Amino acid sequence: MKIDIITLFPTMFEKPFSESIIGRARKNKIVDITIWNLRDFSTNKHKTVDDYPFGGGGGMILAPEPFFRAVEHIKQVNRNLFLPRGKIILMSPQGERFNQKKAVELSHYDHLIILCGHYEGFDERIREYLAEEEISIGDYVLTGGELPAMVVVDSVVRLLPGVLGNSEATEEDSFSRGLLEYPQYTRPRDFRGYLVPDVLLSGNHKEIARWRREQSLLRTLKRRPEMLENCELTKEDIEFLKKLKIKGTASNNESRKKENI
Ligand code: ADE
């Protein structure tokens, strides 16, 4: 996969993209990431990339020309590579909310061009005529699109074949099966009196698998019940959830009685 990122702050990407799994994926040539400085595509001698908004108001707006020129240059540079599936993504708090499904979808592209903004905003023509998709990483406003771009790249690159070893496999991730992850433990079995659940020491693989599944269901029901609507549940899962819900209602009733509600 080829990823090109256009930003006003290229050095922000140096460490996060050279360490750990992403650094290894780049070294192993599974992903080729290039960071471009938006200022290099400015057409004036002061290298400015923003301007005052038409109609007045405070703040500066990122102008369209440098972004359009940067994308044209990137396409030109990559023209000899076989990158049939490409997408130009604008990072913005107004975009579609990013999630694991989107990460999986983007991991099937050959080429991502990511536009990072800063300051008050983008000229609307960048959004309308250049970007093909607008992505937000959550309902909060950051100082720029750089951290969101890193989040998107990290979650996409780890899904590329060969990036994670078998032991780091993604199938058991929270979200990949539509459920939150079950609790994990390592040695010691007794840490300051806090014990590892017996079932994990039993050696009974069937029991362990069942316990893990049930813990995933329980955790999802407690923390993110809406996720259960969209995931594949077996008959046993549904039975287990029914029992939990009945228990939950019973204990709610108990506490209501106690509190005289
Ligand atoms: N730029 C600023 N805030 C952002 C957010 N939440 N998501 C994506 N890009 C952003």
Side-chain angles (χ1 to χ4, degrees), residues 98 157 177 181 193 232:
F98 191 62
V157 169
R177 296 168 310 147
E181 220 174 310
E232 270 180 47

Side-chain angles (χ1 to χ4, degrees), residues 90-94 117 135-146 148-149:
L90 178 70
M91 302 312 306
S92 133
Q94 298 179 33
I135 292 180
S136 161
I137 60 158
D139 290 343
Y140 39 83
V141 181
L142 297 161
T143 55
E146 285 74 16

Side-chain angles (χ1 to χ4, degrees), residues 119-131:
Y119 311 130
E120 294 309 308
F122 296 94
D123 184 292
E124 191 62 18
R125 289 162 292 188
I126 298 170
R127 194 169 259 129
E128 246 184 87
Y129 303 112
L130 185 63

Side-chain angles (χ1 to χ4, degrees), residues 123-256:
D123 184 292
E124 191 62 18
R125 289 162 292 188
I126 298 170
R127 194 169 259 129
E128 246 184 87
Y129 303 112
L130 185 63
E132 292 163 336
E133 194 150 335
E134 196 169 338
I135 292 180
S136 161
I137 60 158
D139 290 343
Y140 39 83
V141 181
L142 297 161
T143 55
E146 285 74 16
L147 291 171
M150 290 177 210
V151 167
V152 168
V153 168
D154 190 283
S155 63
V156 169
V157 169
R158 70 185 282 285
L159 295 172
L160 300 177
V163 169
L164 295 184
N166 275 347
S167 60
E168 302 158 321
T170 60
E171 279 100 64
E172 294 288 311
D173 288 346
S174 283
F175 301 110
S176 23
R177 296 168 310 147
L179 293 175
L180 297 182
E181 220 174 310
Y182 50 78
Q184 300 262 44
Y185 297 86
T186 184
R187 282 185 291 185
R189 192 183 79 77
D190 181 345
F191 171 68
R192 300 182 182 181
Y194 306 127
L195 298 178
V196 173
D198 283 338
V199 60
L200 298 178
L201 314 167
S202 68
N204 183 333
H205 295 294
K206 221 174 130 193
E207 279 289 304
I208 291 172
R210 206 174 90 113
W211 181 85
R212 285 180 166 165
R213 181 75 185 174
E214 290 182 354
Q215 290 295 315
S216 275
L217 290 164
L218 179 63
R219 198 163 261 197
T220 311
L221 179 69
K222 271 194 187 160
R223 298 183 185 187
R224 299 288 304 276
E226 80 286 358
M227 284 173 67
L228 292 170
E229 312 279 321
N230 305 315
C231 77
E232 270 180 47
L233 297 174
T234 64
K235 251 198 200 147
E236 288 86 55
D237 292 341
I238 293 166
E239 279 304 309
F240 176 72
L241 286 169
K242 262 191 203 159
K243 268 195 250 160
L244 281 178
K245 280 183 187 160
I246 293 164
K247 258 208 226 157
T249 318
S251 64
N252 279 349
N253 287 343
E254 272 310 300
S255 53
R256 276 159 177 266

